[in-house]
Amino acid sequence: TLRTVLAPLFDLYHVGTNPLSDDSAALRAMLRDVRFSVTSGTVVVTNRKTGGVIFSGPLSDLASGTFHPENMPGGSSTVPPPTPSPSTCTYTYSAWAACQSTGTQTRTALSSAPAGCMGTPALSQSCVYTPPTIDGAALYASKCAGCHGPLATSSKLGRTAAQITAANMTQGLSPAEVQAVANALATTTPVACTSFTYSTWDACQPSNTQARTVLASSPTGCTGGSPVLSQACTYVPPVATCTSFTYSAWGTCQSSNTQTRTVASSSPAGCTGGAPVLSQACTYVPPPPAIDGAALYASSCAGCHGALATSNLKGKGISLSLIKSFGMTQGLSDAQLQAIVTAVGP
């Protein structure tokens, strides 16, 4: 940085571009005439003979310092006189940018040499501008495909630029762009479809044919082709639906408060389906609780006739009527007495 900000001084003594490693007589001659010091972060260069300040500036930003060329030494008697003017710069440049519609193109200067040189880099030149080719297909895709479909299957194939303009379909395009779109429409050959995805076959008709439809085709944007949309089949007349039924009797009412029945027959003959009524609501009546004949015997009979297993009634042909005839009902109902008879056994 010192070599840059003090270039006239260093050039006066012909000190090289790397003065800190330069041990030449020129550097020693300069240091006999000039003093370098750093005080409180400020670099000061003074003329040893006159005491005049040649340069002063902050160490952290030497480029912002102040240079006083009038205070430079006259130079040592052993040092040749300074070069009267800086060298002319030689530049390296970036590549030329694309030619603009103004007929000019530009570049930037990447570097200059030697250090401290003077000159003006050549940053622009004349050129021949060639308007870019307009991609009509790309313009169609961005401006028209949303309304008229892909270019290959466009409803506007064959339209001229005049027809597009007359129909007010220019979409804000310039005349050159409209012409490019028209050229794309004129030169596009519709692509024929070669592969299809179909729906399932419909039911066979009395004409012994069945049909299907095309769900998708390829390649994308194609048109036409030869999809197979019908085939021969054997028509089978539909079976009649049953409209009349005879039923079995209703079953016992279940705890779900429903009872069911079955279809005994239906008509017309050979029919299927229909809507037979096979269930209906009912009111469920729970059956009476089961009577425990052994428990009744134990509580009402065992005192006189012994335990049930060894009852003296066993083998006597005990029956409900016999119990009643002997007046041994004990106030029990017929159902309870019958349960006891069943528990005693023959």
Side-chain angles (χ1 to χ4, degrees):
T1 305
L2 279 172
R3 181 66 179 82
T4 300
V5 299
L6 295 175
L9 177 63
F10 279 64
D11 291 342
L12 177 64
Y13 288 87
H14 293 277
V15 177
T17 58
N18 193 2
L20 295 182
S21 63
D22 194 340
D23 194 29
S24 67
L27 177 61
R28 291 195 298 274
M30 184 181 72
L31 293 178
R32 283 195 297 270
D33 295 338
V34 176
R35 175 182 291 110
F36 289 76
S37 64
V38 180
T39 305
S40 299
T42 299
V43 176
V44 179
V45 183
T46 58
N47 188 321
R48 290 179 183 270
K49 183 176 182 180
T50 65
V53 175
I54 300 170
F55 174 85
S56 64
L59 181 62
S60 60
D61 187 14
L62 290 174
S64 66
T66 303
F67 181 72
H68 302 278
E70 67 275 13
N71 292 329
M72 288 197 308
S76 170
S77 60
T78 61
V79 178
T83 303
S85 60
S87 301
T88 300
C89 292
T90 300
Y91 298 95
T92 58
Y93 298 95
S94 65
W96 287 107
C99 190
Q100 302 300 303
S101 58
T102 57
T104 59
Q105 60 186 157
T106 60
R107 62 182 178 181
T108 57
L110 302 178
S111 64
S112 60
C117 66
M118 295 184 65
T120 302
L123 300 180
S124 67
Q125 70 177 7
S126 299
C127 58
V128 177
Y129 174 70
T130 302
T133 301
I134 300 174
D135 187 340
L139 275 176
Y140 178 91
S142 64
K143 298 289 186 177
C144 311
C147 295
H148 306 296
L151 183 60
T153 57
S154 174
S155 60
K156 305 302 177 184
L157 287 176
R159 293 291 180 94
T160 65
Q163 290 172 325
I164 293 172
T165 301
N168 196 27
M169 297 187 296
T170 59
Q171 300 289 333
L173 301 177
S174 68
E177 290 173 325
V178 171
Q179 185 61 59
V181 171
N183 292 342
L185 290 169
T187 58
T188 297
T189 302
V191 177
C193 299
T194 56
S195 179
F196 304 91
T197 302
Y198 300 96
S199 66
T200 57
W201 289 106
D202 294 338
C204 192
Q205 301 301 305
S207 60
N208 290 318
T209 59
Q210 58 187 157
R212 62 182 177 180
T213 59
V214 172
L215 301 178
S217 55
S218 63
T220 302
C222 66
T223 185
S226 302
V228 179
L229 301 180
S230 66
Q231 70 176 6
C233 58
T234 300
Y235 176 72
V236 178
V239 178
T241 301
C242 297
T243 58
S244 178
F245 305 92
T246 57
Y247 300 95
S248 66
W250 287 108
T252 304
C253 190
Q254 301 300 306
S255 59
S256 60
N257 289 316
T258 57
Q259 58 188 159
T260 60
R261 63 183 177 180
T262 59
V263 173
S265 64
S266 57
S267 62
C271 67
T272 62
V277 180
L278 300 179
S279 68
Q280 69 176 6
C282 60
T283 301
Y284 174 70
V285 178
I291 301 173
D292 188 344
L296 280 173
Y297 178 92
S299 63
S300 300
C301 309
C304 296
H305 302 289
L308 180 60
T310 57
S311 172
N312 59 14
L313 295 177
K314 285 184 177 292
K316 301 294 181 65
I318 193 72
S319 65
L320 175 60
S321 59
L322 186 60
I323 292 173
K324 286 185 172 183
S325 68
F326 282 105
M328 297 187 295
T329 60
Q330 299 289 332
L332 301 176
S333 67
D334 288 355
Q336 291 172 319
L337 291 172
Q338 184 58 55
I340 291 173
V341 171
T342 302
V344 172

